[in-house]
Amino acid sequence: MGQKKKVKLEDIAQRLDVSIVTVSNALKGKKGVSDEMRDKIVQTAQEMGYQNTAREKKNCSSYIIGVAVAEKYVKEFPSFYMDIYQRIAKEAVKKGHLTVLEVVTPEKENLEKPFESFLEKKTAGLILIGELRKEYIQAIRRNYDIPVVCVDYYDIYEDLDCIVTDGFGGMTLMTELLLEEGYRDLMFVGTPTATKNITDRYLGYCKALEKAGITDAQERVLPDRDFQNGDYHIHIDLPEKLPEAFVCNCDKTAGILIEKLLKQGVRVPEDVSIVGFDNYKAQLAGDRKLTTFENDERAIAQISMNTLLRRIESGHRAQGVRIVGGRIVEGNTVKKRRQ
């Protein structure tokens, strides 16, 4: 069988009917290309098997990076974790590598059948996005002797690197924002035992209350999800007595809560104030814009890919947990009380 023809920039440009300069800028992460076109170019480059020639000239290897995310996190769109994956894929292509995504079904995550090897044997490293069942991660560790980086999940494993969002610190800031406006009657919306991320955000909420000398609101928790058969759905039952403000563990929950309140004639923020977390495409009625905390997705993707490549190429041990910060994004779902 003859050698497969090497894919060039002009091949990608012809496929998409764009200029070679546009393709080059997109793959190098340069400005001047829309996000939609950049995504299309990166996806086409991966499908066509494009390899970074500059990397080849340096006699560096081009790696296949396996990426896994649980099906329960990507069943509904938009999906925060799919955005993270797309950013990781862009980082990989910029560095001359390819990613292959596997969406882990509940059956596979629960190990209902014997563990199946991830994708293909040439995988040089793995990135696991979001919290997966401990049994599945342990199966990964038993069956692979390659570097593994977890994104937005952490545990005590010494052989894994973990790149996580600042759930504790970010939610502390969001709660303090309400406290500084004079709110004292608060309620956390989320199921703290559902995931480590929600646990961290709940603890950040409690920390802010503790610093303010408030103890009763720490136990005021409104659950928002129930995991069954490896899946979950968000469901909220409003309390009989509404608090002055809700602190939501994520923007999706905040959006569902706001919709429920509006259907009962409760105004946001005139009657009840609400903050979220993630700054992720919450669909709100009217001209509402959620006050929330934004994670630095680009930094998360860059650090995750750089960490994995460093371990692949150097053989260094895992360095543990790295927290990536974010920022408050002020919207109009918090009624201002300060004069």
Side-chain angles (χ1 to χ4, degrees):
M1 183 180 291
Q3 188 174 10
K4 187 177 180 180
K5 181 182 177 182
K6 185 177 296 185
V7 178
K8 300 179 181 179
L9 293 179
E10 48 262 46
D11 298 324
I12 302 171
Q14 289 179 4
R15 171 77 68 86
L16 296 174
D17 194 24
V18 297
S19 69
I20 296 176
V21 173
T22 298
V23 173
S24 177
N25 288 341
L27 296 180
K28 291 179 180 178
K30 293 184 177 180
K31 297 180 179 180
V33 184
S34 69
D35 289 341
E36 182 180 359
M37 177 55 69
R38 191 185 306 277
D39 289 343
K40 187 178 296 186
I41 290 172
V42 168
Q43 182 178 352
T44 302
Q46 289 183 305
E47 292 172 352
M48 296 178 68
Y50 172 75
Q51 293 184 344
N52 190 317
T53 55
R55 191 170 186 85
E56 290 179 354
K57 291 178 182 178
K58 294 179 183 178
N59 297 318
C60 293
S61 299
S62 180
Y63 305 119
I64 295 176
I65 307 298
V67 183
V69 60
E71 183 182 75
K72 59 179 174 278
Y73 298 130
V74 297
K75 289 176 67 174
E76 297 181 11
F77 290 91
S79 165
F80 174 70
Y81 284 148
M82 282 305 295
D83 271 8
I84 292 291
Y85 167 68
Q86 289 172 357
R87 289 183 181 275
I88 287 173
K90 290 179 186 178
E91 289 298 316
V93 170
K94 282 162 56 177
K95 297 177 183 296
H97 310 299
L98 296 177
T99 58
V100 183
L101 175 67
E102 177 170 303
V103 177
V104 182
T105 64
E107 293 77 18
K108 184 166 186 176
E109 188 180 356
N110 293 328
L111 299 181
E112 294 180 7
K113 297 180 180 179
F115 180 81
E116 299 177 1
S117 297
F118 187 95
L119 301 169
E120 49 184 285
K121 297 179 180 179
K122 294 181 181 179
T123 305
L126 296 176
I127 293 179
L128 310 180
I129 304 178
E131 183 167 339
L132 291 148
R133 287 182 60 86
K134 184 170 293 187
E135 293 81 3
Y136 179 79
I137 294 178
Q138 289 173 339
I140 289 281
R141 295 172 64 234
R142 285 195 304 268
N143 286 273
Y144 288 95
D145 187 24
I146 57 177
V148 178
V149 172
C150 297
V151 179
D152 209 29
Y153 169 77
Y154 67 92
D155 215 313
I156 59 174
Y157 305 119
E158 294 182 353
D159 55 338
L160 304 183
D161 279 290
C162 300
I163 316 301
V164 299
T165 56
D166 190 8
F168 179 87
M171 193 56 87
T172 299
L173 291 176
M174 297 309 301
T175 308
E176 288 178 342
L177 181 148
L178 292 169
L179 294 171
E180 290 169 1
E181 288 290 347
Y183 291 94
R184 290 294 181 271
D185 181 16
L186 307 180
M187 179 175 284
F188 181 83
V189 188
T191 306
T193 57
T195 68
K196 285 184 169 61
N197 284 337
I198 300 178
T199 301
D200 287 347
R201 294 171 190 184
Y202 169 69
L203 293 176
Y205 162 80
C206 291
K207 181 64 176 180
L209 295 174
E210 179 185 349
K211 289 169 60 178
I214 301 173
T215 58
D216 60 330
Q218 295 182 12
E219 298 179 0
R220 302 191 65 189
V221 176
L222 185 63
D224 73 333
R225 67 192 70 196
D226 179 30
F227 282 86
Q228 294 181 344
N229 301 319
D231 204 351
Y232 76 93
H233 67 280
I234 293 179
H235 176 75
I236 301 170
D237 292 320
L238 294 177
E240 292 184 9
K241 181 182 180 300
L242 297 177
E244 295 177 319
F246 288 101
V247 180
C248 298
N249 79 93
C250 69
D251 290 355
K252 186 172 183 179
T253 290
I256 293 173
L257 175 62
I258 290 173
E259 183 178 356
K260 275 184 166 286
L261 290 169
L262 294 177
K263 285 183 178 179
Q264 292 199 8
V266 180
R267 300 172 300 168
V268 178
E270 293 84 356
D271 300 325
V272 175
S273 290
I274 294 177
V275 298
F277 199 97
D278 286 337
N279 193 28
Y280 194 71
K281 302 181 175 66
Q283 303 296 321
L284 306 183
D287 60 353
R288 292 176 184 82
K289 184 178 185 299
L290 188 63
T291 296
T292 186
F293 185 84
E294 180 179 68
N295 299 303
D296 192 339
E297 293 183 25
R298 177 170 295 183
I300 292 169
Q302 290 175 341
I303 294 170
S304 300
M305 181 56 62
N306 290 340
T307 299
L308 185 64
L309 293 178
R310 185 165 57 248
R311 288 190 58 195
I312 291 172
E313 295 174 350
S314 68
H316 288 170
R317 294 169 57 87
Q319 298 299 303
V321 178
R322 178 164 179 179
I323 299 174
V324 181
R327 68 185 184 93
I328 293 176
V329 177
E330 291 206 29
N332 56 14
T333 56
V334 174
K335 183 178 179 180
K336 300 298 182 181
R337 288 182 168 184
R338 288 177 295 184
Q339 298 299 323

